[in-house]
């Protein structure tokens, strides 16, 4: 048996006041003929990163509209996660492909997990490359199969994508965040569906400025001085070192500025700790740089507080599948600066709902512009929030999945 993940209860009705009646009614109508369908989500980890963030909301909402849904996590040991981390990096464009032994390790765990997957599902949704071989290995275990890709596949290492392709191309449905991520050679059953955030979780619910300041204050932030902040895993693609460099440039003109780097450590990310230490080294003891992770008790409320309190929120990624942190940040109506890569431009219209940057210098210039002109920040934040309401809240994402379930049923 694969490891089941326990999730709480959620009610779609609670989202009506935020998303509007029309969408909620559409979801109920789509769900009606799907009632009782057995659906399983398969992912590599139940903690850390965007996939688990999404499933903790999507799974309970799918249940609330009448589907019989489970979430299960595949089995893997260090050798497997070392291989899949390398694969993840290569698929996002790193030059190093897996060696033969690592490919064999990935396949070996795939076979083991395929044996352990129970059968009789109406739909099996496989998230990301780690469990991708399941459909190829045991297609009889579900009537419908979906591969959900969460990563930036716009410029993959050619060797790596060509070895992965036979496992993903034949899925009866696949989902990508953007058209530019669909690898050549996929079948015609590709859907472009970006993910979404849950406005009612502790991470995204409204927090008063006083409460947000109180929480940040407890982590040593001087709440009366300006704060720049990036929330993300400690991963080279998220470029926390570049954020530190941008902060240093801002500090030359604005000595009172502070920086918070808030990052959780994922259980399937063996590189995380090395890079965390490298980030600390890069900060070089600067008392105005605060580097925090979930082992300092930085959980959802704390992330919310940092996003709600900061004067500038940054996601200076150099590759980004979607970047849930982007929608999370602008949902709090805060001014936002993001790398002009991957899913970030999908969420940010440059100059209207935030700023897009391609270098440390640009990031520093835009930060200073916002810090020196609070009215500009307010303008960007408000428009950003409405953009998220329209496009990137979970009920819209749920609707898109239900539509695809209908297509699979009809096929
Ligand atoms: N996150 C968190 N605590 C942290 C850092 C990140 O809860 O210290 C969350 C963040 O709020 C977001 C998710 O982890 O919901 C990261 O998703 P994203 O799509 O931004 O990036 P990924 O980690 O999947 O590459």
């Amino acid at each position: 048996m694969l490891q089941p993940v326990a999730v709480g209860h959620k009610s779609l009705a609670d989202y009506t006041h935020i998303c509007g009646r029309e969408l909620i009614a559409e979801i109920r109508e789509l769900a009606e003929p799907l009632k009782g369908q057995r659906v399983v989500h398969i992912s590599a980890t139940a903690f850390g990163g965007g996939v688990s963030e999404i499933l903790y909301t999507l799974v309970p909402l799918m249940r609330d509209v009448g589907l019989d849904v489970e979430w299960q996590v595949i089995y893997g040991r260090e050798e497997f996660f070392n291989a899949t981390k390398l694969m993840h990096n290569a698929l996002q464009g790193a030059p190093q492909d897996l060696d033969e032994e690592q490919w064999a390790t990935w396949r070996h765990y795939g076979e083991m997990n395929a044996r352990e997957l129970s059968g009789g599902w109406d739909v099996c949704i496989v998230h990301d490359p780690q469990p991708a071989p399941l459909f190829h290995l045991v297609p009889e275990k579900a009537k419908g199969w979906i591969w959900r890709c969460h990563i930036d596949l716009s410029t993959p290492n050619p060797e790596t994508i060509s070895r992965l392709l036979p496992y993903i191309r034949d899925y009866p449905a696949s989902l990508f965040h953007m058209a530019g991520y669909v690898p050549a050679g996929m079948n015609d059953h590709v859907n472009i569906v970006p993910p979404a955030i849950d406005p009612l979780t502790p991470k995204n619910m409204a927090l008063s400025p006083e409460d947000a300041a109180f929480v940040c204050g407890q982590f040593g932030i001087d709440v009366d001085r300006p704060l720049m902040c990036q929330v993300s895993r400690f991963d080279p693609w998220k470029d926390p070192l570049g954020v530190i460099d941008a902060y240093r440039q801002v500090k030359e003109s604005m000595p009172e500025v502070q920086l918070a780097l808030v990052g959780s450590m994922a259980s399937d990310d063996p590189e995380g700790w090395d890079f965390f230490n490298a980030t600390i080294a890069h900060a070089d003891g600067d008392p105005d740089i605060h580097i925090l992770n979930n082992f300092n008790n930085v959980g959802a409320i704390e992330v919310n507080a940092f996003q709600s309190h900061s004067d500038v929120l940054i996601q200076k990624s150099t590759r980004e599948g979607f970047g849930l942190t982007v929608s999370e940040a602008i949902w709090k109506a805060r001014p936002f600066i993001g790398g002009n890569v991957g899913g970030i431009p999908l969420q940010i219209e440059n100059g209207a709902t935030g700023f897009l940057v391609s270098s440390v210098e640009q990031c520093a210039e835009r930060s200073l512009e916002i810090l020196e002109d609070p009215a500009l920040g307010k303008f960007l934040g408000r428009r950003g929030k409405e953009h998220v309401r329209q496009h990137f809240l979970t009920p819209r994402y749920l609707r898109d999945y239900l539509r695809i379930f209908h297509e699979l049923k009809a096929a």
Side-chain angles (χ1 to χ4, degrees), residues 114-241:
R115 274 195 302 275
E116 293 298 314
L117 176 66
S118 56
W121 302 101
D122 290 300
V123 184
C124 179
I125 305 166
V126 177
H127 294 267
D128 273 349
Q130 299 95 326
L134 287 175
F135 169 59
H136 188 77
L137 293 170
V138 283
E140 71 283 0
K141 289 194 174 178
K143 287 189 204 136
W145 287 85
I146 297 176
W147 188 59
R148 198 331 162 205
C149 176
H150 294 266
I151 60 180
D152 180 344
L153 278 183
S154 53
T155 53
N157 178 316
E159 298 298 321
T160 317
I161 190 69
S162 72
R163 304 267 306 238
L164 178 66
L165 196 63
Y167 295 97
I168 57 172
R169 69 176 167 215
D170 299 326
Y171 269 82
S174 56
L175 270 71
F176 294 83
H177 299 331
M178 312 206 304
Y181 290 178
V182 182
M186 290 297 292
N187 64 22
D188 297 337
H189 308 301
V190 166
N191 299 271
I192 305 303
V193 178
I197 62 162
D198 182 348
L200 297 182
T201 50
K203 181 173 292 174
N204 294 316
M205 68 192 190
L207 206 56
S208 73
E210 296 77 14
D211 289 338
F214 176 76
V215 173
C216 293
Q218 286 181 316
F219 288 93
I221 306 295
D222 179 345
V223 298
D224 296 318
R225 282 159 54 201
L227 179 64
M228 299 165 66
C229 173
Q230 172 160 296
V231 174
S232 70
R233 288 181 296 110
F234 288 97
D235 177 314
W237 304 110
K238 308 283 186 187
D239 200 19
L241 306 187

Side-chain angles (χ1 to χ4, degrees), residues 49-50 53 203 231 233 238 262-264 303 320 323-325 328:
E53 187 73 25
K203 181 173 292 174
V231 174
R233 288 181 296 110
K238 308 283 186 187
V262 178
S264 66
V303 168
E320 190 60 76
L324 289 175
T325 51
E328 288 167 4

Side-chain angles (χ1 to χ4, degrees), residues 51-173:
V51 179
S52 50
E53 187 73 25
I54 289 163
L55 291 182
Y56 278 111
T57 292
L58 193 59
V59 170
L61 284 180
M62 283 185 172
R63 283 183 184 161
D64 185 61
V65 297
L67 283 76
D68 182 3
V69 188
E70 283 190 40
W71 170 15
Q72 298 178 359
V73 171
I74 53 169
Y75 171 74
R77 293 171 69 131
E78 198 182 343
E79 50 176 353
F80 174 70
F81 289 124
N82 285 337
T84 57
K85 182 71 200 219
L86 206 69
M87 187 189 300
H88 176 100
N89 287 343
L91 289 170
Q92 297 212 121
Q96 191 190 349
D97 186 26
L98 285 72
D99 61 27
E100 286 308 324
E101 200 182 326
Q102 287 162 326
W103 278 110
T105 299
W106 177 68
R107 278 196 305 270
H108 170 67
Y109 278 88
E111 284 159 11
M112 211 153 48
N113 284 307
R115 274 195 302 275
E116 293 298 314
L117 176 66
S118 56
W121 302 101
D122 290 300
V123 184
C124 179
I125 305 166
V126 177
H127 294 267
D128 273 349
Q130 299 95 326
L134 287 175
F135 169 59
H136 188 77
L137 293 170
V138 283
E140 71 283 0
K141 289 194 174 178
K143 287 189 204 136
W145 287 85
I146 297 176
W147 188 59
R148 198 331 162 205
C149 176
H150 294 266
I151 60 180
D152 180 344
L153 278 183
S154 53
T155 53
N157 178 316
E159 298 298 321
T160 317
I161 190 69
S162 72
R163 304 267 306 238
L164 178 66
L165 196 63
Y167 295 97
I168 57 172
R169 69 176 167 215
D170 299 326
Y171 269 82

